[in-house]
């Protein structure tokens, strides 16, 4: 099903409400990473270039009480956006009311306004996060059409996405959301084969839905990272002090059974006696972990095996690092997978998951990947095959 995108709208002279994801990290009201602002620029520039009156809004952090408001204003984001756009961004420090309405009415074609953190509406009864019908309706009344470009909250039904969409004439995806739909949705629904999924990270429990959904769709699923040990334990092997979810052993057995011939486990492991970057490292076979050892990264044989499987892949989805990549001595497996993906010329490579995306970016592989998802939780739910309310609410073409 094709979704309406921002280029399908006739925005000339229209007031366009745009839900962006400006949930940027801040320290003392200074933005420490403005990537999300940069990523939102194409949609904003397109609208301004086509003479729309643009009304931007976003959430920023969690706001439950009046005290939580401190340091959660979007004002610094408006200032930063002004630098990127090279034009005035009028900031209205309210989420509703006469001042906001007057400022929106005063907008001329090609001008842009931003209003305050949508979650300021959560103080009084979680109106934004619980999709209060009155709030969605009110916000919708402020514009002619709605563009959703916030993938990070697309797995939630909030007033600022689903609520507005239910009360306005036209709803389209922004370029960023369109990209997520195209790559993640495309990989899961119509992958070019072979389709190889790489799953890692800390826990099987977090990724059950993803593993189950991909078992039906992928040709191979490579399992690395901390979740390996729950699988090994379920096979009756010693996993020492490695992270292991004892309450998920039956589930692991079930997944191994269902995934016969598809699930590929690690052969060798970097083990240590303590959780530290400087601990002495031994390479152990998967069935030779000692009771006082913990596995913190995949070993060289495993990396070679995984890389070999990846060589022929035409679609790759990666979620979850191969080891404790935060420790440089245990980042090798994760970096090795980055290299394997970077060397594929002819494959679509998709990174989902917050830590996996961070690993790829930190290690300088961002421009070698086809797509790095901007939404951790949303990308996981999308990979689980769930319908995302923030995507479903966009008009079909
Ligand atoms: P994502 O955010 O990409 O979905 P997760 O949150 O599931 O990934 O997992 C990331 C975390 O898993 C990292 O903090 C990493 O240190 C941890 N991890 C990976 N392998 C291991 C391991 N062998 N032992 C302990 N933690 C691990
Ligand atoms: Mg994570």
């Amino acid at each position: 099903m094709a979704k309406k995108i921002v280029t399908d709208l006739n925005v000339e002279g229209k007031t366009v409400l745009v839900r962006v994801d400006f949930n940027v990290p801040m320290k003392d009201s200074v933005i420490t990473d403005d990537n999300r602002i940069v990523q939102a620029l194409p949609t904003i520039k397109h609208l301004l270039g086509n003479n729309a009156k643009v009304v931007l809004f976003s959430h920023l952090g969690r706001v439950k009480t009046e005290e939580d408001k401190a340091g959660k204003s979007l004002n610094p984001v408006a200032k930063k956006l002004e630098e990127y756009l090279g034009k005035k961004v009028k900031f209205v420090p309210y989420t509703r009311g006469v001042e906001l309405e007057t400022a929106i009415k005063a907008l001329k074609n090609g001008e842009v306004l931003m209003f305050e953190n949508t979650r300021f509406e959560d103080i009084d009864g979680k109106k934004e996060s619980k999709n209060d019908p009155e709030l969605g309706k009110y916000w919708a009344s402020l514009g002619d059409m709605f563009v959703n470009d916030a993938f990070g909250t697309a797995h939630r039904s909030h007033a600022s996405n689903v609520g507005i969409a239910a009360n306005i004439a036209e709803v389209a995806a922004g370029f960023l959301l369109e990209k997520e739909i195209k790559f993640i949705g495309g990989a899961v629904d119509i992958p070019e084969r072979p389709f190889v999924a790489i799953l890692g990270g800390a826990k099987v429990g977090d990724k059950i839905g993803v593993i189950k959904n991909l078992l039906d769709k992928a040709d191979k699923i490579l399992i690395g990272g901390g979740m390996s040990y729950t699988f090994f334990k379920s096979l009756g092997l010693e996993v020492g002090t490695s992270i292991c979810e004892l309450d998920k052993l039956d589930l692991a057995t079930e997944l191994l059974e269902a995934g016969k011939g598809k699930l590929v486990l690690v052969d060798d492991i970097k083990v240590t006696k303590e959780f530290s970057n400087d601990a002495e490292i031994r390479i152990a076979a998967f069935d030779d972990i000692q009771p006082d050892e913990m596995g913190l990264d995949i070993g060289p044989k495993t990396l070679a095996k995984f890389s070999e499987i990846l060589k022929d892949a035409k679609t790759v989805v990666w979620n979850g690092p191969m080891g404790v990549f935060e420790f440089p001595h245990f980042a090798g497996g994760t970096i090795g997978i980055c290299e394997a993906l970077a060397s594929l010329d002819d494959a679509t490579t998709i990174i989902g998951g917050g830590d996996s995306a961070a690993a790829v970016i930190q290690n300088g592989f961002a421009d070698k990947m086809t797509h790095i998802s901007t939404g951790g939780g949303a990308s996981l739910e999308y990979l689980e095959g769930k319908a995302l309310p923030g995507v479903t609410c966009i008009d079909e073409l």
Side-chain angles (χ1 to χ4, degrees):
M1 272 180 297
K3 290 285 184 187
K4 196 180 271 189
I5 60 169
V6 60
T7 44
D8 296 315
L9 298 174
N10 182 5
V11 300
E12 171 95 29
K14 295 284 175 16
T15 302
V16 184
L17 306 174
V18 190
R19 173 58 158 107
V20 281
D21 182 359
F22 282 162
N23 184 31
V24 294
M26 285 215 234
K27 201 166 185 288
D28 304 323
S29 295
V30 176
I31 299 164
T32 52
D33 176 358
D34 63 7
N35 181 42
R36 284 186 163 148
I37 302 175
V38 173
Q39 300 253 21
L41 292 173
T43 297
I44 300 170
K45 284 185 174 166
H46 168 83
L47 290 169
L48 293 173
N50 284 277
N51 286 321
K53 302 164 182 176
V54 178
V55 178
L56 301 173
F57 46 95
S58 171
H59 78 287
L60 176 61
R62 286 205 182 139
V63 186
K64 290 190 181 131
T65 61
E66 277 296 328
E67 293 76 65
D68 288 345
K69 280 183 170 180
K72 301 271 172 56
S73 172
L74 278 175
N75 196 7
V77 178
K79 291 269 168 312
K80 184 53 99 182
L81 181 63
E82 225 162 55
E83 286 172 30
Y84 278 115
L85 291 176
K87 70 164 24 178
K88 174 83 192 150
V89 176
K90 181 168 174 57
F91 183 71
V92 179
Y94 306 103
T95 50
R96 61 168 81 215
V98 179
E99 186 167 332
L100 175 62
E101 292 155 26
T102 313
I104 292 175
K105 284 206 188 87
L107 279 176
K108 297 199 180 71
N109 293 357
E111 287 186 349
V112 54
L113 168 159
M114 178 149 71
F115 69 76
E116 189 53 284
N117 187 351
T118 54
R119 296 233 174 122
F120 282 17
E121 289 282 347
D122 277 352
I123 291 172
D124 182 17
K126 292 209 165 178
K127 292 201 166 88
E128 153 74 325
S129 298
K130 290 238 162 95
N131 187 16
D132 178 89
E134 180 271 330
L135 182 59
K137 208 168 173 177
Y138 171 72
W139 278 337
S141 75
L142 301 174
D144 301 311
M145 41 185 71
F146 177 45
V147 172
N148 188 14
D149 210 13
F151 184 69
T153 45
H155 58 316
R156 306 269 180 249
S157 276
H158 288 173
S160 64
N161 54 11
V162 172
I164 296 176
N167 289 288
I168 202 160
E170 276 193 279
V171 187
F175 292 125
L176 190 55
L177 198 77
E178 183 208 9
K179 229 168 107 191
E180 301 276 4
I181 299 171
K182 178 173 151 198
F183 288 116
I184 305 185
V188 175
D189 296 334
I190 37 161
E192 204 188 329
R193 296 184 183 279
F195 171 20
V196 180
I198 312 164
L199 298 176
K203 294 180 180 168
V204 182
D206 294 345
K207 311 267 166 97
I208 301 167
V210 179
I211 301 175
K212 283 193 172 156
N213 188 38
L214 293 181
L215 268 180
D216 286 341
K217 317 218 153 152
D219 299 298
K220 285 268 184 257
I221 301 182
L222 316 180
I223 303 272
M227 68 160 71
S228 308
Y229 307 100
T230 305
F231 285 104
F232 286 138
K233 183 86 182 173
S234 79
L235 291 169
L237 295 170
E238 174 67 66
V239 297
T241 55
S242 309
I243 55 167
C244 179
E245 296 154 279
L246 293 174
D247 59 334
K248 296 284 180 324
L249 297 181
D250 290 346
L251 174 79
T253 307
E254 195 188 299
L255 291 172
L256 283 173
E257 186 57 36
K260 263 199 186 133
K262 267 193 187 180
L263 284 186
V264 184
L265 299 180
V266 307
D267 290 328
D268 59 346
I269 299 161
K270 280 188 183 165
V271 296
T272 65
K273 292 192 171 151
E274 52 184 310
F275 189 76
S276 149
N277 183 46
D278 301 315
E280 194 179 320
I281 296 173
R282 181 174 87 88
I283 307 288
F286 70 96
D287 55 359
D288 183 37
I289 303 175
Q290 300 304 306
D292 60 347
E293 290 177 327
M294 67 179 84
L296 295 184
D297 195 8
I298 59 173
K301 260 197 209 154
T302 305
L303 179 59
K305 176 171 83 170
F306 284 4
S307 303
E308 189 59 35
I309 295 171
L310 287 166
K311 263 193 190 147
D312 299 321
K314 287 282 177 283
T315 306
V316 182
V317 166
W318 181 13
N319 175 272
M322 294 293 98
V324 183
F325 72 98
E326 296 90 340
F327 292 156
H329 292 158
F330 301 97
T334 301
I335 295 175
I337 295 292
C338 287
E339 283 165 349
L341 297 193
S343 70
L344 302 175
D345 325 306
D346 194 19
T348 303
T349 50
I350 298 155
I351 318 300
D355 292 293
S356 318
V360 168
I361 295 166
Q362 272 165 30
N363 290 295
F365 290 92
D367 59 353
K368 297 277 194 256
M369 305 299 165
T370 313
H371 180 63
I372 301 176
S373 178
T374 53
S379 67
L380 267 187
E381 291 201 16
Y382 214 6
L383 290 174
E384 286 174 22
K386 287 190 185 156
L388 305 186
V391 173
T392 310
C393 74
I394 293 164
D395 295 346
E396 300 291 334
L397 259 188

